[in-house]
Amino acid sequence: MSVSEENWLAVDRFLTDTLVGEDDVLAAAKEASSKGGLPQIEVSAPQGKLLMLLAKLTGARKVLEIGTLGAYSTTWLARGLPEDGEIITCEFEAKHAEVAQKNLERAGLAAKVSIQVGAALDTLPRLAADGAGPFDLVFIDADKVNNANYVEWALKLTRPGSLIVLDNVVRGGGVLDSGEGDDDDAAAVRGTRAALELLGSDERLEATAVQTLGSKGWDGFALARVK
């Protein structure tokens, strides 16, 4: 059987309906984000539930998210935390943060989440200085140019046993490109490749990556455990 886009979208819908489920709160978050003019680049429902399961499997109590968007992934992560768990999530765009805050309030999760508005590379040093860590799980899904920088900061803000998750590492196969050029895609490839090389070479980490195919196209994520 040849694999077409129609095939793998149908499989994704089947897996979502059979294993995941997307309740009214999550559906409303996506709808509100769309109406608010946010780009439709949030994780898929299966990916969101994976984040929730990873939070549970690691026993995470403190989560750092880099890239909030409309808080769809934040909602999944928060559902994986205990009652006293907390998430600090970094969002560059104030407009996105406003939509995210309303989505979290609707989900009854606002008390668990603190949205930090501004450039993450300004926020992360401040978190370190304030002793906000160590975080048990870090999810990186922001501008790809700075992926390696985000991984470096994740290492500073975690502990042995913490998990770092880096999204969008395959980019429809674009990760194989050289990254030459001045356009945004080339810059994203360079940033992604630099992050992957760091994950694979840093002796403080054990890492792998998984390709994915679904409603978000051909992509993948990297997982790294802090030794």
Side-chain angles (χ1 to χ4, degrees), residues 42 71 73 88 118 171:
E42 71 279 340
S73 56
I88 294 178
R171 309 187 60 77

Side-chain angles (χ1 to χ4, degrees), residues 33-181:
S33 296
S34 178
K35 288 182 177 178
L38 277 62
Q40 302 303 287
I41 54 174
E42 71 279 340
V43 300
S44 68
Q47 292 165 344
K49 191 163 187 181
L50 175 62
L51 291 172
M52 184 192 80
L53 291 173
L54 289 173
K56 290 188 174 186
L57 287 167
T58 56
R61 306 182 76 86
K62 296 184 71 174
V63 171
L64 173 64
E65 181 181 48
I66 304 174
T68 316
L69 198 61
Y72 184 80
S73 56
T74 321
T75 299
W76 278 111
L77 284 164
R79 289 180 173 186
L81 300 184
E83 285 299 317
D84 60 347
E86 61 175 312
I87 298 176
I88 294 178
T89 182
C90 304
E91 175 52 50
F92 180 73
E93 297 285 352
K95 176 184 176 182
H96 296 179
E98 183 179 349
V99 173
Q101 184 65 36
K102 291 178 180 177
N103 283 336
L104 291 166
E105 289 170 0
R106 186 185 303 107
L109 296 168
K112 283 187 176 182
V113 183
S114 172
I115 303 175
Q116 303 292 310
V117 182
L121 291 180
D122 293 332
T123 301
L124 296 170
R126 186 175 72 249
L127 293 177
D130 292 343
F135 293 94
D136 308 306
L137 190 156
V138 179
F139 178 49
I140 302 171
D141 188 14
D143 61 297
K144 311 310 173 187
V145 175
N146 284 305
N147 270 342
N149 292 324
Y150 296 146
V151 171
E152 288 280 12
W153 275 108
L155 278 165
K156 295 174 183 178
L157 288 161
T158 48
R159 55 167 179 78
S162 293
L163 182 66
I164 299 170
V165 183
L166 177 65
D167 201 13
N168 305 127
V169 300
V170 175
R171 309 187 60 77
V175 70
L176 296 178
D177 296 339
S178 64
E180 295 180 359

